[in-house]
Amino acid sequence: MKLRVILLALAALFASATVCLAQNPHMGTWKLNEAKSKFAPGATKNQTVVYETAGDSVKIIVDGVDSAGSAVHHEWTGKFDNKFYPVTGDPTSDMRSYRKINKHTLALTGKKDDKVSVTGRITVTANGRTRTVTTTAAGSKASNRAVYDKQ
């Protein structure tokens, strides 16, 4: 009987975490709207970004092109709790953290070799159709403003 209660409690907890993430306006597939975006010279353009649930965490998958036109692909899995989680495939960061500012806004920090390499802010519009990412590389005054449309 106790095992059944524990299993039901765990199932309810997992279901509530999944519902909570599903209601997150950041979740889904986002496609770059290059006409509305502005990039510093030599910046990588992340053409598609996918936010999906991964248990009680979020997985972010990024596909794009670097300044030479070569394909880039990187992934991050973690929580929006301001803690650093590993990034794979990103030459500019090996760890990244996201902090929830409000329902529609996240702050991000990327680190490479334990030093901050990029900071930024991600905002989804109230209607959930547009996502704007503003990033600045450490030691740079130039920033990138990438605008995405929900797919």
Side-chain angles (χ1 to χ4, degrees):
M1 182 70 163
K2 287 183 182 179
L3 179 60
R4 183 175 179 189
V5 170
I6 291 170
L7 290 174
L8 286 172
L10 287 173
L13 179 65
F14 180 75
S16 65
T18 301
V19 168
C20 183
L21 287 173
Q23 293 174 349
N24 184 325
H26 294 273
M27 303 304 282
T29 300
W30 300 92
K31 184 173 179 176
L32 179 66
N33 183 329
E34 201 163 338
K36 292 182 178 179
S37 301
K38 183 180 179 190
F39 296 96
T44 296
K45 295 178 183 175
N46 297 330
Q47 295 168 320
T48 304
V49 180
V50 178
Y51 284 62
E52 62 186 26
T53 57
D56 65 346
S57 295
V58 175
K59 182 174 186 177
I60 302 174
I61 304 162
V62 177
D63 288 294
V65 294
D66 65 16
S67 60
S70 299
V72 295
H73 175 89
H74 52 91
E75 298 183 10
W76 174 91
T77 302
K79 298 178 182 180
F80 300 151
D81 60 4
N82 206 32
K83 294 180 182 175
F84 284 89
Y85 297 89
V87 178
T88 59
D90 183 0
T92 65
S93 66
D94 49 30
M95 301 288 286
R96 192 177 304 147
S97 76
Y98 291 86
R99 178 176 52 90
K100 185 176 178 180
I101 295 172
N102 60 47
K103 183 177 181 178
H104 293 273
T105 308
L106 299 171
L108 75 90
T109 303
K111 286 186 176 182
K112 180 75 172 177
D113 300 326
D114 210 30
K115 294 180 183 174
V116 172
S117 58
V118 65
T119 58
R121 186 171 284 230
I122 303 163
T123 304
V124 175
T125 56
N127 66 11
R129 294 184 185 149
T130 304
R131 174 178 172 266
T132 302
V133 181
T134 305
T135 56
T136 304
S140 173
K141 292 184 181 185
S143 64
N144 296 305
R145 182 177 177 269
V147 178
Y148 295 85
D149 298 319
K150 183 91 174 240
Q151 298 299 292

